[in-house]
Amino acid sequence: MTRYGPMFGPDVTFLGVPPCTLEEPVTYADADVVIVGAPFDGGTSHRPGTRFGPSAIRQACYLPHDGSRPSLALRVDALQDLCVYDAGDVEMFSGDIERSLAALETAVHAVAAAGAIPIVLGGDHSIALPDATGVARHHGLGRVSLVHFDAHADTGDIEFGSLHGHGQPMRRLIESGAVRGDRFLQIGLRGYWPGPETLSWMAEQRMRSYEMTEVVARGLDSCLSEAFAIATDECEGVFLSVDVDVVDPGMAPGTGTPEPGGFTSRQLLDAVRRVCYELPVVGVVEVAPPYDHADITAYLGNRVVLEALSAIARRRRDAAGGDPWNPRQPLLDAR
């Protein structure tokens, strides 16, 4: 768990927050949130490049990297109101997927065990397995539900002769008992994969998968409200997994598996805000910069993290008392 910040890029922290070292718990003993980089694309089946995602997400902002980001909408400064550290990147060698995923699980568990929320910057979606498992090891296996934004179900079985890859982490999570199938909520699925056999397996696990046709017909807010009710039933917390390909590739081209017909950037940010304001979460973000045009996807990934942090900060402020957040309040009212 050595701090390995310069693995793929300079050793910079997320927007200038203080650094910490995972093998030195005293450096993040007071943390509310610890950001961890997972520079890994050894599980991809199509276009690689997500190993460069954490570096791109950390740096993608036109404002000063000064450890401060006041949210216009939520009226908090998450990087100031929360105690946020950046642990740098976990060393993840793409040629050894089992070793790399094990190292990430150890890192995530260390953060969760310290009482902080781990936010992991990916990295292909094979990292969802160690991320959710690391959190579940602390809170209790089967006691953490999962809200999963993705174009793909990621419930494949054996691909290319391997049990591990970016199309299989959700099956492995359910099989291991880390997450219950009936507390697994997937939102944004579309396209032409998986096939009938895999869909039947998902149904047997009692997963709830919202394909885009249903999301459009019912409305995103309605689907989210229903998913939240399921996610908070008989579970201690919620793991939030965001694969950037849930967004239409016209707005997020930096992904290895682009699938047209997805969310807008606005829909994803609004959804992440709702999840993190209403539920206790940990986040995962995937970006593939080699296929990104003008840093569009990296900027979106950066803002997904900021939206999550801001909503967590606002949730805690409201819980402490005072006037709750009002999304209808005009920008300059009471300032």
Side-chain angles (χ1 to χ4, degrees):
M1 295 192 299
T2 301
R3 181 174 176 83
Y4 210 88
M7 189 169 184
F8 295 111
D11 187 8
V12 298
T13 63
F14 181 78
L15 301 182
V17 302
C20 69
T21 302
L22 288 177
E23 60 187 6
E24 299 176 15
V26 67
T27 65
Y28 56 97
D30 58 341
D32 295 308
V33 174
V34 175
I35 294 171
V36 178
F40 185 75
D41 55 17
T44 56
S45 61
H46 189 41
R47 304 192 306 195
T50 49
R51 68 182 69 183
F52 304 110
S55 179
I57 294 168
R58 286 186 174 104
Q59 298 179 71
C61 189
Y62 55 86
L63 297 169
H65 289 210
D66 56 2
S68 175
R69 282 299 182 277
S71 168
L72 293 179
L74 289 157
R75 298 175 178 238
V76 293
D77 185 338
L79 302 186
Q80 294 288 314
D81 296 347
L82 300 173
C83 190
V84 182
Y85 292 98
D86 191 330
D89 291 345
V90 175
E91 185 176 359
M92 302 184 75
F93 173 52
S94 289
D96 190 341
I97 190 168
E98 292 187 359
R99 186 185 77 181
S100 294
L101 297 186
L104 182 57
E105 181 182 327
T106 299
V108 171
H109 179 257
V111 173
I117 297 173
I119 292 186
V120 184
L121 312 179
D124 75 55
H125 223 185
S126 60
I127 67 172
L129 172 61
D131 292 339
T133 301
V135 172
R137 281 175 52 195
H138 173 65
H139 293 286
L141 300 182
R143 303 300 300 173
V144 175
S145 61
L146 201 145
V147 175
H148 173 208
F149 291 98
D150 203 328
H152 308 99
D154 292 353
T155 49
D157 191 3
I158 299 174
E159 298 180 11
F160 304 105
S162 176
L163 291 169
H164 299 292
H166 71 160
Q168 301 141 279
M170 306 317 176
R171 183 182 287 245
R172 301 286 93 88
L173 279 170
I174 293 172
E175 289 177 338
S176 71
V179 180
R180 290 168 45 175
D182 61 352
R183 296 297 180 272
F184 215 111
L185 297 311
Q186 302 183 309
I187 305 169
L189 305 188
R190 60 190 186 275
Y192 302 89
W193 186 91
E197 182 179 348
T198 300
L199 293 174
S200 294
W201 180 88
M202 293 166 60
E204 291 170 1
Q205 313 311 310
R206 298 172 62 197
M207 299 176 70
R208 183 62 171 95
S209 301
Y210 296 84
E211 196 266 340
M212 279 302 296
T213 304
E214 180 182 358
V215 173
V216 171
R218 295 182 54 194
L220 179 57
D221 278 339
S222 175
C223 294
L224 288 176
S225 295
E226 182 178 275
F228 290 2
I230 299 170
T232 52
D233 183 27
E234 299 181 355
C235 284
E236 304 300 323
V238 177
F239 183 95
L240 171 63
S241 180
V242 179
D243 188 330
V244 77
D245 71 16
V246 74
V247 175
D248 191 275
M251 292 188 176
T255 176
T257 50
E259 184 63 58
F263 283 13
T264 65
S265 298
R266 179 72 266 158
Q267 285 176 311
L268 177 60
L269 293 174
D270 287 346
V272 168
R273 178 191 296 171
R274 273 202 65 188
V275 172
C276 294
Y277 180 67
E278 299 180 29
L279 308 171
V281 300
V282 58
V284 177
V285 180
E286 176 189 354
V287 175
Y291 305 100
D292 208 1
H293 172 69
D295 299 327
I296 293 171
T297 318
Y299 273 95
L300 176 58
N302 180 282
R303 290 315 194 241
V304 167
V305 175
L306 273 178
E307 203 69 38
L309 289 169
S310 297
I312 291 168
R314 186 71 215 201
R315 172 184 171 88
R316 294 190 179 189
R317 175 181 290 187
D318 288 2
D323 294 331
W325 177 57
N326 177 12
R328 297 179 179 273
Q329 186 175 20
L331 174 64
L332 301 180
D333 186 36
R335 290 190 185 266

